[in-house]
């Protein structure tokens, strides 16, 4: 009799466990994502839509992500705080926007004279990049993942030509990240402005120059109508956007959905890198055909040399003043030294026709 009762009890327990896991397998997880970009923002906004669509499809509808653009949440540079507090589960933005809050977040977007995209992806995924980024974001209840690369960016749109280092003195330029620190070192006044306000700021001469991304995005912003000089880049060789995830949200997800989300973010990031390269090639062709008045320029050698020296000096200051910054910078420098030898003998040599 007891045996029968026990067997019946075991059956009840087993079916309870089975239906519980069936329920977990059926449950729909609805997440929200705040992006820095405005609605239907090309390329950057495509990355978030692409990621959400992939996550939903791969999870058979169990993971649904609602995207709010800046017109909805009204705070393009509030994404870090909104995801940290749990107001949003996820964000899409750029790590170097948070340098005023958490200085060491600065190093996870791109660095002047630093790694190009193939090298930096190597550092993130096969070097120490992801672990170091986790270390910086964990105290803020956040996880950060690569969110799409722009490749080498253009140096920006200028009202006046830059012929010498003196021309940088007092230059009001929209330029985020470490490049802003480097320009400040040479007497310029860098500032960060959200994408939606860039055109007006340059048009009204609140700023003398700005950098945004490259032809694939810049042409659609219309900067060529209000600034004649378009300089090549030195400052952002591999701008990596970021997906932010609130840590509690992440921990609430079952393991398979975590993996689906991780794969969707990684795939969307790589897709954006390719989409941006394609869009830039098309836009460059359109630009040279339809706007021949745009003057494409390179900064003179002495300007580049001064920027490089200021960059080296600032990197040393950062490393001297903060042990974590030193760890990150040492890791990036070691990785760059190692992988650049290969880039030089492979892509660089190939492109130079050797
Ligand atoms: C910028 O804010 O300039 C980027 O390239 C994302």
């Amino acid at each position: 009799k007891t045996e029968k009762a026990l067997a019946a009890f075991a059956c009840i327990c087993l079916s309870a466990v089975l239906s519980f896991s069936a329920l977990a397998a059926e449950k729909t997880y609805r997440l929200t994502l705040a992006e820095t970009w405005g609605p239907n923002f090309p390329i950057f906004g495509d990355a978030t839509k692409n990621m959400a669509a992939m996550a939903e499809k791969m999870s058979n509808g169990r993971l649904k992500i609602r995207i709010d653009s800046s017109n909805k949440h009204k705070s393009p540079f509030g994404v870090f705080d909104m995801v940290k507090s749990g107001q949003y589960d996820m964000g899409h933005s750029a790590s170097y926007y948070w340098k005023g809050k958490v200085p060491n977040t600065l190093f996870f977007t791109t660095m002047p004279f630093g790694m190009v995209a193939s090298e930096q992806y190597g550092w993130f995924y096969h070097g120490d990049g992801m672990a170091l980024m986790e270390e910086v974001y964990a105290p803020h209840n956040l996880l950060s993942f690569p969110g799409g690369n722009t490749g080498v960016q253009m140096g920006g749109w200028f009202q006046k030509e830059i012929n010498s280092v003196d021309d940088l003195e007092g230059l009001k330029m929209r330029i985020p990240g470490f490049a802003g620190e480097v320009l400040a070192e040479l007497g310029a006044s860098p500032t960060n402005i959200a994408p939606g306000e860039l055109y007006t700021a340059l048009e009204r001469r609140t700023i003398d120059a700005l950098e945004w991304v490259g032809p694939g995005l810049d042409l659609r912003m219309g900067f060529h109508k209000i600034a004649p000089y378009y300089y090549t880049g030195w400052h952002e060789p591999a701008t990596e956007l970021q997906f932010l995830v609130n840590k509690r949200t992440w921990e609430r997800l079952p393991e398979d959905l975590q993996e689906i989300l991780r794969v969707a973010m990684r795939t969307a990031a790589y897709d954006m890198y390719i989409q941006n390269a394609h869009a830039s090639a098309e836009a460059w062709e359109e630009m040279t055909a339809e706007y021949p008045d745009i003057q494409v320029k390179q900064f003179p050698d002495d300007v580049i040399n001064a920027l490089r020296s200021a960059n080296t000096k600032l990197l040393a200051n950062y490393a001297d003043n903060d042990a974590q910054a030193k760890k990150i910078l040492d890791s990036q420098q070691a990785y760059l030294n190692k992988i650049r030898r290969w880039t030089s003998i492979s892509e660089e040599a190939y492109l130079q026709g050797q």
Side-chain angles (χ1 to χ4, degrees):
K1 205 173 176 191
T2 340
E3 264 169 31
K4 268 191 177 169
L6 270 177
F9 181 67
C11 266
I12 291 167
C13 288
L14 188 64
S15 58
V17 167
L18 286 178
S19 57
F20 181 77
S21 43
L23 267 181
E26 286 311 312
K27 185 176 165 188
T28 303
Y29 290 81
R30 292 176 196 280
L31 310 188
T32 54
L33 180 150
E35 60 182 1
T36 290
W37 338 114
N40 298 316
F41 201 84
I43 305 176
F44 292 6
D46 293 335
T48 56
K49 291 190 197 72
N50 197 4
M51 183 279 298
M54 274 190 280
E56 185 164 342
K57 214 162 178 182
M58 288 193 286
S59 65
N60 201 16
R62 288 164 57 222
L63 188 56
K64 292 193 195 301
I65 301 168
R66 190 194 83 211
I67 298 163
D68 282 356
S69 306
S70 61
N71 62 323
K72 193 79 182 271
H73 57 70
K74 311 273 183 228
S75 187
F77 293 139
V79 170
F80 180 101
D81 287 336
M82 291 188 291
V83 181
K84 178 176 175 170
S85 71
Q87 188 185 339
Y88 279 89
D89 297 299
M90 295 183 69
H92 191 243
S93 196
S95 190
Y96 62 8
Y97 293 155
W98 324 127
K99 71 177 181 183
K101 278 179 201 306
V102 183
N104 290 341
T105 54
L106 178 54
F107 306 120
F108 299 100
T109 307
T110 184
M111 294 298 283
F113 305 106
M115 291 180 269
V116 295
S118 55
E119 298 169 337
Q120 192 172 266
Y121 272 134
W123 179 68
F124 270 126
Y125 291 127
H126 299 280
D128 298 332
M130 290 301 286
L132 289 166
M133 186 153 69
E134 190 177 335
E135 190 183 308
V136 170
Y137 278 90
H140 303 280
N141 195 31
L142 290 166
L143 295 167
S144 175
F145 299 85
N149 203 287
T150 67
V152 175
Q153 294 205 357
M154 286 295 283
W157 298 86
F158 289 72
Q159 304 282 6
K160 293 204 183 88
E161 272 184 87
I162 303 296
N163 293 317
S164 70
V165 178
D166 290 346
D167 291 334
L168 297 177
E169 185 67 44
L171 182 85
K172 284 186 268 161
M173 179 164 185
R174 184 273 176 189
I175 182 163
F178 206 74
E181 313 290 313
V182 174
L183 277 180
E185 188 68 18
L186 296 179
S189 305
T191 171
N192 192 14
I193 298 173
E197 295 155 36
L198 286 176
Y199 186 91
T200 316
L202 187 62
E203 190 187 29
R204 298 206 178 138
R205 304 290 170 103
T206 315
I207 49 174
D208 308 309
L210 63 79
E211 73 74 54
W212 175 226
V213 177
L217 279 162
D218 292 7
L219 216 56
R220 304 190 210 194
M221 300 284 257
F223 302 135
H224 55 286
K225 298 180 198 147
I226 48 174
Y229 302 107
Y230 198 17
Y231 276 86
T232 59
W234 58 278
H235 64 308
E236 298 202 14
T239 313
E240 186 66 48
L241 304 182
Q242 79 179 153
F243 284 113
L244 283 170
V245 185
N246 176 285
K247 217 155 174 252
R248 279 190 297 271
T249 298
W250 181 262
E251 282 158 6
R252 267 200 338 258
L253 292 176
E255 243 173 70
D256 64 330
L257 292 189
Q258 286 179 350
E259 195 53 24
I260 284 172
L261 189 55
R262 195 196 303 275
V263 170
M265 291 188 289
R266 187 161 168 168
T267 310
Y270 195 68
D271 278 355
M272 196 202 89
Y273 174 40
I274 301 159
Q275 185 191 1
N276 186 62
H278 174 75
S280 293
E282 302 248 291
W284 196 261
E285 195 171 66
E286 180 191 337
M287 195 182 96
T288 44
E290 292 179 26
Y291 308 104
D293 293 343
I294 298 173
Q295 299 192 49
V296 178
K297 298 245 158 212
Q298 283 186 310
F299 294 106
D301 286 350
D302 60 338
V303 171
I304 292 291
N305 290 338
L307 290 165
R308 198 188 293 276
S309 304
N311 187 60
T312 308
K313 182 177 144 193
L314 279 178
L315 287 177
N317 285 352
Y318 269 70
D320 282 350
N321 290 325
D322 185 290
Q324 191 182 50
K326 179 170 165 40
K327 187 157 80 160
I328 300 165
L329 290 169
D330 283 352
S331 163
Q332 288 186 332
Q333 198 54 54
Y335 200 86
L336 173 60
N337 291 345
K338 178 171 156 153
I339 202 165
R340 184 59 56 84
R341 286 189 214 132
W342 169 241
T343 308
S344 298
I345 205 67
S346 56
E347 287 184 44
E348 198 181 350
Y350 170 75
L351 290 171
Q352 286 174 356
Q354 288 162 5

